[in-house]
């Protein structure tokens, strides 16, 4: 019997589920679309605070259940100096508001409203709160960032891109 004392490392004899293979390497088969997405990503991030940008990407990816993007953006955020605590609390940010600035909260509220359009619109109070915290040009960039990560998430989830292999900055 193996005794497990290190809480960060699983026991050597732990059996994990097998990794599911990707369904499709979409970027390989649609390289022009991939290149256009990269250009769109580059344009969407212009002028935005890197921390806020990563929080938006992680939160949208959590909502969309995109494990590949959660893995990627969490690693990028950590590599850029974001705290583990803020990342861990992100899935429950509404109950953990004291970890985030008012501007970050406004961006997270907007991220959720844009990502989950089941009501068919972004509520006025969510948009108005974001507009209080961002100049119009920056707000346009935040909306673009939310839109782009949602598009990436759709590729990742549909094609079943596997998390765990990304290295920070790999695609930059």
């Amino acid at each position: 019997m193996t005794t497990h004392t290190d809480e960060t490392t699983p026991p050597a004899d732990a059996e994990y589920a097998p990794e599911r293979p990707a369904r499709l390497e979409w970027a390989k088969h649609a390289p022009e679309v991939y290149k256009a997405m990269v250009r769109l990503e580059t344009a969407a991030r212009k002028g935005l605070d890197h921390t806020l940008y990563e929080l938006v990407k992680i939160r949208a990816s959590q909502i969309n259940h995109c494990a590949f993007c959660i893995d990627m953006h969490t690693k990028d955020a950590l590599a850029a100096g974001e705290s583990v605590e803020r990342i861990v609390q992100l899935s429950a940010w509404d109950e953990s508001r004291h970890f985030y600035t008012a501007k970050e909260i406004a961006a997270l509220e907007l991220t959720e409203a844009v990502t989950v359009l089941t009501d068919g619109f972004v509520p006025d109070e969510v948009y108005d709160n974001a507009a209080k915290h961002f100049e119009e040009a920056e707000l346009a960039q935040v909306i673009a960032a939310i839109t782009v990560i949602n598009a990436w998430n759709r590729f990742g989830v549909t094609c079943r891109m596997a998390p765990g292999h990304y290295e920070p900055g790999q695609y930059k």
Side-chain angles (χ1 to χ4, degrees):
M1 183 168 140
T2 303
T3 304
H4 181 63
T5 56
D6 179 357
E7 292 182 25
T8 61
T9 306
D13 60 350
E15 271 193 54
Y16 293 97
E19 183 176 297
R20 292 168 37 168
R23 289 179 173 153
L24 176 71
E25 293 181 52
W26 77 269
K28 176 181 167 185
H29 297 290
E32 293 306 313
V33 175
Y34 177 77
K35 289 176 195 171
M37 285 294 297
V38 170
R39 287 190 304 272
L40 189 56
E41 171 86 20
T42 300
R45 97 175 77 200
K46 266 198 185 322
L48 288 181
D49 174 75
H50 183 72
T51 299
L52 183 129
Y53 190 65
E54 291 298 337
L55 292 175
V56 163
K57 293 195 291 187
I58 295 167
R59 186 63 192 127
S61 299
Q62 289 172 336
I63 294 166
N64 290 322
H65 304 282
C66 186
F68 180 85
C69 292
I70 293 169
D71 179 58
M72 175 191 294
H73 299 300
T74 298
K75 287 176 179 175
D76 282 345
L78 288 168
E82 183 56 84
S83 75
V84 170
E85 191 170 44
R86 281 172 33 104
I87 292 172
V88 168
Q89 291 300 316
L90 194 53
S91 65
W93 68 266
D94 201 26
E95 290 99 27
S96 306
R97 289 175 172 254
H98 60 285
F99 288 100
Y100 308 99
T101 67
K103 190 173 187 175
E104 290 168 341
I105 289 169
L108 293 171
E109 288 173 339
L110 187 60
T111 299
E112 291 194 3
V114 172
T115 300
V116 182
L117 291 174
T118 54
D119 292 334
F121 59 92
V122 173
D124 288 340
E125 60 273 7
V126 170
Y127 184 87
D128 293 344
N129 187 41
K132 281 192 273 187
H133 292 282
F134 296 94
E135 297 292 327
E136 284 186 342
E138 188 179 20
L139 180 57
Q141 291 299 123
V142 171
I143 294 167
I146 296 166
T147 301
V148 172
I149 190 56
N150 273 279
W152 283 120
N153 289 166
R154 269 94 181 134
F155 285 116
V157 170
T158 304
C159 297
R160 195 186 289 143
M161 296 171 69
H165 305 286
Y166 179 78
E167 296 293 325
Q170 180 176 336
Y171 296 123
K172 293 186 179 172

